[in-house]
């Protein structure tokens, strides 16, 4: 390694340090306002990097400390295994939902993405 490639100040490497992409995904997740959602693909597009699978992987590994329920599938289905907890949070935050038909498995609602989806623009313009 040449001297030019070394950081100006040495910093310790921690086993639990987040990869840069993961940090960026989590930062965007924290920007999503209460009652709004972004899909995995929306976040990848917002970051102009990666795709839905990469965002999903970050959320599955590191998303427990951020409002993970605000990052959703593109079809509006609730996150498998976390449906009831997410549903409680959506109702608490007033996130728009579509009630499930009686034929729907488990009779769980879906997110109303037309109304709940956030594009990142409101916060950028100073609205919360």
């Amino acid at each position: 390694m040449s001297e030019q490639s070394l950081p100006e100040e040495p910093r310790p490497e921690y086993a639990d340090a987040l990869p840069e992409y993961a940090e960026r995904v989590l930062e965007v997740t924290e920007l999503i306002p209460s009652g709004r959602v972004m899909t995995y693909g929306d976040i990848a597009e917002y970051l102009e990097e990666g795709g839905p699978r990469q965002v999903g992987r970050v959320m599955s590994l590191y998303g427990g400390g951020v409002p993970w329920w605000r990052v959703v599938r593109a079809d509006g289905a609730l996150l498998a295994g976390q449906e009831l907890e997410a549903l409680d949070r959506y109702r608490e935050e007033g996130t728009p939902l579509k009630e499930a038909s009686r034929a729907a498995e488990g009779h769980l609602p879906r997110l109303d993405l037309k109304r709940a989806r956030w594009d990142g623009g409101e916060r950028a313009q100073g609205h919360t």
Side-chain angles (χ1 to χ4, degrees):
M1 198 181 259
S2 72
E3 286 183 28
Q4 293 177 339
S5 65
L6 293 174
E8 290 181 24
E9 293 182 25
R11 60 186 180 118
E13 293 297 324
Y14 297 100
D16 60 349
L18 291 177
E20 181 184 341
Y21 183 72
E23 286 183 27
R24 292 176 54 213
V25 167
L26 298 177
E27 286 171 3
V28 172
T29 301
E30 290 179 325
L31 292 176
I32 303 169
S34 178
R36 303 298 295 275
V37 298
M38 289 180 92
T39 67
Y40 297 105
D42 290 342
I43 291 180
E45 188 175 316
Y46 185 88
L47 292 173
E48 298 180 344
E49 185 179 355
R53 289 179 187 257
Q54 289 81 11
V55 172
R57 180 75 174 150
V58 167
M59 293 304 294
S60 71
L61 292 174
Y62 309 110
V66 297
W68 54 265
W69 59 93
R70 296 180 189 156
V71 181
V72 301
R73 294 173 33 156
D75 65 1
L78 304 185
L79 182 63
Q82 302 296 321
E83 300 96 333
L84 298 180
E85 183 177 351
L87 188 56
D88 286 345
R89 291 179 188 260
Y90 297 139
R91 288 182 171 147
E92 181 180 301
E93 292 183 356
T95 307
L97 299 168
K98 290 181 180 179
E99 288 306 316
S101 70
R102 291 179 189 226
E105 187 177 327
H107 304 291
L108 289 172
R110 288 181 179 261
L111 290 155
D112 184 344
L113 288 178
K114 281 187 177 181
R115 294 177 31 224
R117 202 173 210 162
W118 184 64
D119 67 4
E122 296 166 9
R123 175 80 54 158
Q125 295 172 10
H127 301 285
T128 55

